[in-house]
Amino acid sequence: MELDQYFNEIIYNVNNEISSYVKGDIKQLYDASIYLLNAGGKRLRPLFLVSIADLLKGDRKRAYKAAAAVEILHNFTLIHDDIMDEDTLRRGIPTVHVKWGIPLAILAGDLLHAKAFQALGDALKGLDAEKIYSGIAEFSNSVIIIAEGQAMDMEFENRENVSEEEYIEMIKKKTAQLFACSAYLGGLVSNANNSELELLKNFGINIGISFQIMDDILGLTADEKELGKPVYSDIREGKKTILVIHALQNANEEQKRIIMEGLGSKDSEKIKKAGDIIKSLSLDYAYSKAKYYLDHAFENLNKIHGEEIAGKALNYLVRFTVERRK
């Protein structure tokens, strides 16, 4: 109950900050921009950021603005990702480009990109120049790294042989970097020292990798209602997830043929057959990898001591990334 109240208060305040930035007179543009942000989402990155700020007795007002910046940036990437992947559902509702068309969806993403920097600027305003520079540099660098990760993900779809090391590097960039940036900013607005900031970034990377592996697992195991998007969409898009990579490395010739026929196919029967084989060969392995990175995240977190409620919150959030159902 205590943690419920704690998380609800953070989400309420971060949502208010987001609403204060993503509003304007051009109705259609702002409707499209706020659409996914209003459709729910776990707000995991803001929860991590504000909890870390609390752990280090930081300024909540700054933390809320930084958290809004991160969540706005995250939703910019989702809008553009959905266009690239031709996904029709997100959070159980039609994607932005399905509802408003691709041109306006691109524009809405661009707007959110700029609004994220606007919110970050307000979060850092009044800090010393070195801290302001560090915050903007980390945030800007995150946008670059996420774009690199997305490009790698797309390139992998056209390759038969992707190694597990390449996959980890890709999700480190595409997914984990924004978790690392969130953890870093939570520390930065709370006067964390350099060694704490380094620990926080490593914590974010490990959480992000574990989170993405779980996302890949849920893409094969959750039902469509839980997931909020089509099941097996990763297989339909030909994505080389850790489950696909491990399955291809351990499949016999017949299984390999079925997997390769399903990857990137539009035939639901072929996709399902491929999915069943991938699950049988890779689920246990993928869970063990998610746990490996989760354990490393706990190691990073346990080296930072601070407020008890925030410590409890962070421990809960770390466990949630692996135990969630959607």
Side-chain angles (χ1 to χ4, degrees):
M1 187 63 201
E2 183 188 29
L3 281 182
D4 281 348
Q5 281 180 322
Y6 180 80
F7 291 140
N8 286 338
E9 185 187 348
I10 293 172
I11 291 168
Y12 174 79
N13 283 285
V14 171
N15 285 347
N16 281 347
E17 287 291 348
I18 290 168
S19 299
S20 75
Y21 284 102
V22 188
K23 65 178 186 184
D25 295 335
I26 316 298
K27 188 178 184 321
Q28 209 177 27
L29 173 62
Y30 283 93
D31 283 352
S33 301
I34 199 74
Y35 173 70
L36 275 187
L37 283 156
N38 282 346
K42 292 171 282 292
R43 301 289 190 261
L44 264 184
R45 296 154 194 80
L47 287 170
F48 274 117
L49 193 157
V50 178
S51 298
I52 285 165
D54 283 352
L55 187 72
L56 299 166
K57 301 186 179 71
D59 180 337
R60 265 273 179 115
K61 284 184 182 170
R62 286 190 189 282
Y64 287 145
K65 287 187 185 300
V70 165
E71 190 66 12
I72 292 168
L73 187 73
H74 173 54
N75 278 265
F76 141 68
T77 67
L78 297 183
I79 293 174
H80 283 193
D81 274 6
D82 287 340
I83 295 168
M84 288 179 253
D85 292 341
E86 298 178 15
D87 276 337
T88 57
L89 282 178
R90 165 82 62 183
R91 295 172 183 161
I93 57 173
T95 46
V96 175
H97 69 275
V98 167
K99 194 166 167 65
W100 279 277
I102 288 173
L104 195 71
I106 293 170
L107 205 52
D110 292 346
L111 179 79
L112 291 181
H113 182 269
K115 289 288 185 181
F117 277 90
Q118 194 177 52
L120 179 72
D122 289 342
L124 302 174
K125 190 177 178 183
L127 294 175
D128 68 63
E130 190 57 39
K131 279 206 173 74
I132 293 171
Y133 171 78
S134 297
I136 291 169
E138 182 65 30
F139 203 70
S140 307
N141 200 36
S142 294
V143 180
I144 294 164
I145 290 169
I146 292 164
E148 291 173 354
Q150 176 68 359
M152 287 173 77
D153 193 18
M154 288 161 62
E155 191 234 331
F156 290 174
E157 290 169 27
N158 303 316
R159 278 172 49 192
E160 269 188 43
N161 57 332
V162 176
S163 70
E164 188 178 309
E165 291 71 27
E166 287 177 302
Y167 163 85
I168 295 294
E169 183 59 24
M170 181 272 286
I171 63 170
K172 198 171 165 183
K173 287 174 177 283
K174 184 180 172 179
T175 303
Q177 179 57 36
L178 199 53
F179 279 96
C181 180
S182 303
Y184 179 89
L185 289 173
L188 189 76
V189 299
S190 311
N191 296 312
N193 60 42
N194 286 339
S195 66
E196 286 172 331
L197 288 173
E198 201 52 41
L199 276 171
L200 288 168
K201 275 172 83 166
N202 288 334
F203 166 74
I205 290 288
N206 284 311
I207 279 295
I209 293 173
S210 185
F211 176 88
Q212 185 58 56
I213 292 171
M214 278 310 300
D215 233 36
D216 293 346
I217 291 169
L218 289 169
L220 289 179
T221 60
D223 68 43
E224 199 157 309
K225 201 167 174 218
E226 277 183 329
L227 204 57
K229 60 182 180 180
V231 183
Y232 291 166
S233 63
D234 285 348
I235 296 174
R236 176 174 57 79
E237 289 155 20
K239 298 255 186 225
K240 300 297 189 299
T241 66
I242 194 165
L243 294 110
V244 171
I245 292 165
H246 184 76
L248 286 171
Q249 285 169 352
N250 292 276
N252 61 36
E253 286 308 311
E254 174 63 8
Q255 288 172 321
K256 203 174 279 186
R257 183 187 65 74
I258 293 168
I259 292 169
M260 292 310 294
E261 273 189 8
L263 283 177
S265 171
K266 299 283 182 260
D267 182 325
S268 58
E269 192 55 40
K270 285 181 178 174
I271 291 168
K272 188 186 179 309
K273 278 184 182 170
D276 289 344
I277 290 171
I278 292 163
K279 279 195 282 194
S280 70
L281 292 172
S282 297
L283 267 186
D284 289 346
Y285 180 74
Y287 276 119
S288 73
K289 291 303 278 189
K291 186 176 183 311
Y292 170 83
Y293 288 101
L294 187 81
D295 290 344
H296 279 295
F298 272 124
E299 277 175 35
N300 301 134
L301 187 59
N302 291 337
K303 289 175 183 166
I304 301 171
H305 301 288
E307 288 293 298
E308 189 185 349
I309 177 72
K312 277 187 196 168
L314 286 162
N315 272 281
Y316 175 87
L317 289 169
V318 171
R319 294 219 174 279
F320 175 78
T321 59
V322 166
E323 290 167 5
R324 66 204 168 92
R325 297 298 311 141
K326 58 186 175 178

